Amino acid sequence: MTKNQRLIKWVEEVVAQCQPDAIHWCDGSSQEYDQLCRTMVETGTFIRLNPQKRPNSFYCRSDPADVARVEQYTFICSAKQGDAGPSNNWADPREMKEKLTPLFAGAMRGRTLYVIPYSMGPIGSPIARIGVELSDSPYVVVNMHMMTRVGTKVLEALGPDGDFVKGMHSVGVPLDDSAADVPWPCNAAHKFICHFPETREIWSFGSGYGGNALLGKKCHALRIASVQARDEGWLAEHMLILKLTSPQNAVKYIAAAFPSACGKTNLAMMEPALAGWKVETIGDDIAWMKFGPDGRLYAINPEAGFFGVAPGTSFKSNPNAMKTITQGALFTNCALTPDGDIWWEDMSSPPPDHLTDWTRRPWNPRSRRKAAHPNARFTVPARQCPVIAPEWEDPKGVPISAILFGGRRAGIVPLVNEALSWRHGVFLGSTMASETTSAATGKVGALRRDPMAMLPFCGYNMGDYFAHWIKLGENHPEPSKLPRIFFVNWFRKNPDGRFLWPGYGENSRVLKWIFQRCALPVADTTLARQTAIGYLPTLHALDRTDLPVDDQLMAELLSIDVGGWLAEIPSIREHYAKFEDRLPQGLTKELESLEHRLKSNA
Ligand code: O2Y
Ligand code: MN
């Protein structure tokens, strides 16, 4: 299927090492997809959902020991430890390969090795990149079919000399003659998700789940691509991209970074509460952004599908996601209804009387456990989304007017705030934090810093990453063409613990303000006032038509808690100290200036 000698030789080497029984070069066709799904139904990995309820859809349960990304087993194997930085697990590349080579030896015996050529981004786009994943998991192939562009057309674009990211993946369970296969093979005792940034390689062993195994997503499109982006002067970011259209039909594109599970998919597919405004989706998780010849920052969504968190998704929280998954979708670790459909927590109320839960046990509303795993997922092609923007696959990307950072903060951080400058915006992104919501991740309410939502996904030292961001702005010949940077917080609470802001479609009111600000010079005071922390909306600047938010509440949402901000400075200093001499001076200066501004305002 290819004349690319580098690819052919590498496949031969991996075949010799992993010893699969068969090799299948994926062509990306619908026949291939259907055949793999049929086979997985026969082997018990998939259940076909009731075609009357959920046509062309499948249900899958993983091993309970393989349910999420495993950050503790995820490594950046750069030649120098300092290049991985304090936020990554590091291993010496030679030592890691010596450790993994015996694990991969014979690991695919009894299985088929699938060669999955994929494109991150529309094939042929100057921003897109090619990868090839070699995997022994048909579940991975089916997911990659939806999440990326796969097959013959990718090999054609690769050509005989094209370069690609090499991803080797095994579930780590060879099938010897005696042993029968299981529906979800994985190797719970040996999981390694390893990235070799200098050689643009990924070696993933032991897990078949999500970001550990669908190598195009977090491993390639974020960890490896962030390194390529640093080297080549662009940005690979953990951001949704949305298209916002005003009642006058003016369009602006917005990219936004929030930590995992902070509602990115919901915002990307939002139904605005404000009459006449329209939100359409370009992407819900990853943005690759490059400056165009006109000096503007152009973004593509490198993915072709959504791998969305199922629990909490409902017609209230995200009607467009619910419409996207009415057919042609795959559901992993959800619960199964007696009539062959799926269910998860908060999908509907009251819950069904009887279910089979994700652990295959009978469940009813009195059961004291969740019916779906909290990280249960739907996989679905993006083209099925009713609000996908027609230009979502435009090879040149869409010009970004605004970049949003955000977190889940009960106090201090106002509803929306515009950065004073590009460098101040980088400061805001670099100090991003969320309060933990679950006892499993630490103390409830504890502050977890997640700069630019990239903490688990930056493939190099985050100090250098901040410097890269600053440099892109400072080197720009026409700073007025840079996207404007904002910080949003939908999650501010009153002292009784109640959310102050209604959220969901009402967030369109904040988007409208951002849209209007982008059309005005930064220092304009029509809609904003300059404060110690940035440009905040004036009391009446946010459109509150038909919204029961009075002036007092609005003022609270936009208030600046000077004491709270000052108390936060030592925690930012502590956060920055981790990056030692790799922290750009510009950020230290921004922190000092913030402290100075707060003290002179107090
Ligand atoms: O647990 C996993 O493997 C999925 S993680 C994920 C999936 C889709 C989008 N974002 C994320 C994330 O962790 O940010
Ligand atoms: Mn994500």
Side-chain angles (χ1 to χ4, degrees):
M1 287 177 73
T2 180
K3 290 198 164 67
N4 189 300
Q5 289 308 314
R6 195 169 155 253
L7 174 55
I8 292 167
K9 187 162 166 287
W10 175 56
V11 173
E12 282 168 4
E13 282 164 12
V14 174
V15 167
Q17 183 180 11
C18 300
Q19 300 164 30
D21 276 17
I23 305 166
H24 177 99
W25 285 73
C26 296
D27 62 14
S29 64
S30 55
Q31 292 85 332
E32 178 175 79
Y33 178 91
D34 293 342
Q35 181 56 49
L36 284 164
C37 291
R38 272 197 300 272
T39 307
M40 281 191 280
V41 169
E42 281 160 22
T43 58
T45 299
F46 275 11
I47 290 175
R48 185 182 285 280
L49 292 171
N50 181 341
Q52 259 83 53
K53 298 263 168 190
R54 200 77 56 176
N56 275 319
S57 297
F58 296 89
Y59 174 62
C60 179
R61 286 160 293 198
S62 78
D63 185 302
D66 196 22
V67 292
R69 288 190 294 102
V70 283
E71 287 179 22
Q72 66 277 35
Y73 306 124
T74 299
F75 292 85
I76 299 296
C77 306
S78 46
K80 293 190 197 138
Q81 180 162 12
D83 290 342
S87 57
N88 284 310
N89 299 315
W90 175 81
D92 176 81
R94 209 163 37 87
E95 284 172 19
M96 184 51 93
K97 284 191 174 175
E98 270 167 22
K99 189 170 178 168
L100 294 189
T101 297
L103 289 175
F104 275 102
M108 298 186 184
R109 272 202 300 269
R111 300 193 182 277
T112 297
L113 180 155
Y114 297 94
V115 181
I116 316 167
Y118 63 88
S119 174
M120 298 313 293
I123 295 171
S125 158
I127 313 181
R129 294 295 162 104
I130 289 174
V132 180
E133 176 165 357
L134 306 184
S135 172
D136 57 6
S137 162
Y139 172 86
V140 163
V141 183
V142 164
N143 276 273
M144 289 290 282
H145 259 250
M146 289 189 271
M147 295 302 298
T148 70
R149 289 101 177 151
V150 162
T152 316
K153 52 196 187 296
V154 178
L155 290 178
E156 281 162 16
L158 181 67
D161 308 309
D163 211 1
F164 59 95
V165 169
K166 290 176 175 174
M168 172 164 68
H169 169 251
S170 172
V171 293
V173 188
L175 276 176
D176 293 319
D177 293 344
S178 52
D181 203 0
V182 290
W184 186 279
C186 65
N187 189 329
H190 300 97
K191 282 187 193 169
F192 290 94
I193 321 298
C194 298
H195 306 75
F196 302 89
E198 282 100 359
T199 51
R200 319 291 200 225
E201 287 172 285
I202 305 156
W203 289 22
S204 168
F205 188 88
S207 167
Y209 201 86
N212 303 329
L214 315 178
L215 300 187
K217 192 172 180 60
K218 304 295 186 180
C219 298
H220 179 164
L222 288 176
R223 299 197 189 96
I224 295 290
S226 61
V227 175
Q228 292 180 303
R230 175 203 59 192
D231 294 348
E232 299 166 10
W234 50 284
L235 291 165
E237 298 300 324
H238 190 200
M239 290 183 181
L240 65 89
I241 311 165
L242 64 82
K243 174 184 181 185
L244 183 60
T245 307
S246 73
Q248 293 72 35
N249 267 326
V251 168
K252 291 199 192 302
Y253 299 94
I254 297 176
F258 302 103
S260 304
C262 267
K264 288 220 313 280
T265 307
N266 296 355
L267 184 63
M269 298 180 188
M270 179 221 275
E271 284 196 343
L274 271 183
W277 288 78
K278 190 158 82 172
V279 167
E280 288 162 283
T281 314
I282 305 279
D284 80 327
D285 196 40
I286 300 179
W288 283 0
M289 301 187 282
K290 254 185 195 168
F291 287 104
D294 62 356
R296 298 197 68 191
L297 190 62
Y298 284 80
I300 61 160
N301 169 11
E303 302 191 276
F306 307 123
F307 188 64
V309 189
T313 306
S314 66
F315 275 98
K316 175 168 187 259
S317 68
N318 193 338
N320 288 316
M322 294 300 284
K323 289 175 199 161
T324 308
I325 57 176
T326 50
Q327 52 89 30
L330 168 62
F331 300 90
T332 306
N333 287 347
C334 306
L336 190 63
T337 66
D339 56 359
D341 199 5
I342 36 84
W343 192 83
W344 49 69
E345 272 66 25
D346 297 330
M347 182 200 263
S348 57
S349 183
D353 286 340
H354 300 284
L355 294 168
T356 304
D357 74 13
W358 75 278
T359 64
R360 298 159 195 260
R361 290 180 287 174
W363 183 97
N364 68 53
R366 288 157 310 283
S367 301
R368 289 220 210 102
R369 54 180 197 278
K370 304 267 191 216
H373 186 278
N375 193 37
R377 297 275 164 173
F378 54 79
T379 323
V380 69
R383 64 173 181 275
Q384 290 185 193
C385 177
V387 291
I388 198 79
E391 65 275 46
W392 80 281
E393 298 197 275
D394 187 334
K396 73 174 188 319
V398 294
I400 298 296
S401 295
I403 291 175
L404 274 47
F405 294 119
R408 187 181 276 274
R409 298 293 302 266
I412 305 172
V413 181
L415 180 61
V416 59
N417 175 24
E418 183 178 352
L420 299 166
S421 64
W422 176 267
R423 195 179 75 176
H424 181 237
V426 177
F427 168 78
L428 295 179
S430 74
T431 56
M432 242 171 88
S434 262
E435 278 138 24
T436 49
T437 52
S438 118
T441 53
K443 228 169 59 207
V444 176
L447 210 56
R448 182 182 187 258
R449 301 249 169 231
D450 185 356
M452 276 89 163
M454 282 290 277
L455 194 73
F457 306 121
C458 184
Y460 63 104
N461 191 312
M462 283 203 101
D464 297 348
Y465 168 78
F466 301 148
H468 176 60
W469 262 84
I470 292 178
K471 198 173 81 185
L472 286 186
E474 284 178 353
N475 288 353
H476 199 287
E478 283 177 277
S480 65
K481 297 218 168 142
L482 287 168
R484 303 269 281 268
I485 302 181
F486 298 81
F487 201 97
V488 298
N489 176 27
W490 321 128
F491 302 101
R492 199 155 173 173
K493 289 181 176 169
N494 69 10
D496 306 333
R498 293 236 310 269
F499 287 114
L500 292 177
W501 180 250
Y504 301 110
E506 307 296 354
N507 293 339
S508 56
R509 299 170 192 273
V510 176
L511 295 185
K512 175 179 173 183
W513 181 78
I514 290 169
F515 185 103
Q516 292 172 320
R517 282 287 296 163
C518 288
L520 295 167
V522 182
D524 186 278
T525 52
T526 333
L527 296 171
R529 62 188 175 108
Q530 186 169 355
T531 75
I533 61 167
Y535 291 100
L536 261 71
T538 49
L539 187 60
H540 298 286
L542 249 72
D543 187 338
R544 280 186 270 154
T545 312
D546 298 330
L547 184 71
V549 166
D550 61 18
D551 285 358
Q552 197 189 338
L553 181 50
M554 197 69 238
E556 198 178 342
L557 280 158
L558 299 175
S559 63
I560 302 171
D561 172 359
V562 174
W565 277 101
L566 281 169
E568 185 133 340
I569 302 255
S571 134
I572 299 178
R573 229 172 239 131
E574 198 184 317
H575 162 59
Y576 275 177
K578 296 190 190 118
F579 302 102
E580 300 179 340
D581 59 341
R582 310 287 268 253
L583 184 80
Q585 274 190 359
L587 291 187
T588 317
K589 284 191 195 141
E590 287 293 340
L591 182 57
E592 283 163 5
S593 308
L594 172 65
E595 189 170 22
H596 176 76
R597 290 193 303 267
L598 287 165
K599 284 185 174 158
S600 29
N601 272 19

PDB file of all heavy atoms in Angstrom, residues 8 132 195 314 346 539 566 585:
ATOM      1  N   ILE A   8       7.875   1.053   5.610  1.00  0.00           N
ATOM      2  CA  ILE A   8       7.933  -0.393   5.358  1.00  0.00           C
ATOM      3  C   ILE A   8       8.953  -1.050   6.307  1.00  0.00           C
ATOM      4  O   ILE A   8       8.682  -2.075   6.939  1.00  0.00           O
ATOM      5  CB  ILE A   8       8.286  -0.667   3.873  1.00  0.00           C
ATOM      6  CG1 ILE A   8       7.125  -0.215   2.979  1.00  0.00           C
ATOM      7  CG2 ILE A   8       8.622  -2.136   3.639  1.00  0.00           C
ATOM      8  CD1 ILE A   8       7.444  -0.142   1.501  1.00  0.00           C
ATOM      9  N   VAL A 132       1.632   7.223  12.118  1.00  0.00           N
ATOM     10  CA  VAL A 132       1.223   5.838  11.874  1.00  0.00           C
ATOM     11  C   VAL A 132       1.243   5.130  13.221  1.00  0.00           C
ATOM     12  O   VAL A 132       2.240   5.186  13.941  1.00  0.00           O
ATOM     13  CB  VAL A 132       2.162   5.114  10.879  1.00  0.00           C
ATOM     14  CG1 VAL A 132       1.685   3.673  10.675  1.00  0.00           C
ATOM     15  CG2 VAL A 132       2.208   5.850   9.542  1.00  0.00           C
ATOM     16  N   HIS A 195       6.951   8.765  25.507  1.00  0.00           N
ATOM     17  CA  HIS A 195       7.124   9.685  24.369  1.00  0.00           C
ATOM     18  C   HIS A 195       8.598   9.966  24.205  1.00  0.00           C
ATOM     19  O   HIS A 195       9.290  10.253  25.199  1.00  0.00           O
ATOM     20  CB  HIS A 195       6.388  10.995  24.639  1.00  0.00           C
ATOM     21  CG  HIS A 195       4.948  10.775  24.990  1.00  0.00           C
ATOM     22  ND1 HIS A 195       4.564  10.303  26.221  1.00  0.00           N
ATOM     23  CD2 HIS A 195       3.815  10.949  24.270  1.00  0.00           C
ATOM     24  CE1 HIS A 195       3.240  10.183  26.252  1.00  0.00           C
ATOM     25  NE2 HIS A 195       2.765  10.566  25.080  1.00  0.00           N
ATOM     26  N   SER A 314     -26.301  15.669  28.922  1.00  0.00           N
ATOM     27  CA  SER A 314     -27.759  15.504  28.875  1.00  0.00           C
ATOM     28  C   SER A 314     -28.340  16.554  27.921  1.00  0.00           C
ATOM     29  O   SER A 314     -27.611  17.450  27.467  1.00  0.00           O
ATOM     30  CB  SER A 314     -28.360  15.741  30.266  1.00  0.00           C
ATOM     31  OG  SER A 314     -28.164  17.088  30.632  1.00  0.00           O
ATOM     32  N   ASP A 346     -27.062  11.347  35.323  1.00  0.00           N
ATOM     33  CA  ASP A 346     -27.558  12.666  34.915  1.00  0.00           C
ATOM     34  C   ASP A 346     -27.986  12.744  33.452  1.00  0.00           C
ATOM     35  O   ASP A 346     -28.282  13.830  32.955  1.00  0.00           O
ATOM     36  CB  ASP A 346     -26.527  13.783  35.188  1.00  0.00           C
ATOM     37  CG  ASP A 346     -26.248  13.924  36.676  1.00  0.00           C
ATOM     38  OD1 ASP A 346     -27.168  13.630  37.460  1.00  0.00           O
ATOM     39  OD2 ASP A 346     -25.126  14.305  37.036  1.00  0.00           O
ATOM     40  N   LEU A 539     -20.323  47.616  34.843  1.00  0.00           N
ATOM     41  CA  LEU A 539     -21.490  46.964  35.448  1.00  0.00           C
ATOM     42  C   LEU A 539     -22.577  46.594  34.430  1.00  0.00           C
ATOM     43  O   LEU A 539     -23.201  45.547  34.527  1.00  0.00           O
ATOM     44  CB  LEU A 539     -22.075  47.865  36.544  1.00  0.00           C
ATOM     45  CG  LEU A 539     -23.190  47.249  37.370  1.00  0.00           C
ATOM     46  CD1 LEU A 539     -22.731  45.991  38.104  1.00  0.00           C
ATOM     47  CD2 LEU A 539     -23.736  48.272  38.352  1.00  0.00           C
ATOM     48  N   LEU A 566      -4.049  39.130  46.807  1.00  0.00           N
ATOM     49  CA  LEU A 566      -2.732  39.274  47.449  1.00  0.00           C
ATOM     50  C   LEU A 566      -2.341  37.966  48.149  1.00  0.00           C
ATOM     51  O   LEU A 566      -1.180  37.556  48.114  1.00  0.00           O
ATOM     52  CB  LEU A 566      -2.744  40.440  48.440  1.00  0.00           C
ATOM     53  CG  LEU A 566      -2.601  41.820  47.785  1.00  0.00           C
ATOM     54  CD1 LEU A 566      -2.891  42.933  48.789  1.00  0.00           C
ATOM     55  CD2 LEU A 566      -1.204  42.009  47.184  1.00  0.00           C
ATOM     56  N   GLN A 585      11.777  35.391  32.607  1.00  0.00           N
ATOM     57  CA  GLN A 585      11.761  36.575  33.488  1.00  0.00           C
ATOM     58  C   GLN A 585      10.492  37.383  33.321  1.00  0.00           C
ATOM     59  O   GLN A 585      10.009  38.024  34.247  1.00  0.00           O
ATOM     60  CB  GLN A 585      12.953  37.456  33.156  1.00  0.00           C
ATOM     61  CG  GLN A 585      14.192  37.044  33.894  1.00  0.00           C
ATOM     62  CD  GLN A 585      15.280  38.082  33.725  1.00  0.00           C
ATOM     63  OE1 GLN A 585      15.085  39.093  33.042  1.00  0.00           O
ATOM     64  NE2 GLN A 585      16.422  37.836  34.331  1.00  0.00           N
TER      65      GLN A 585
END
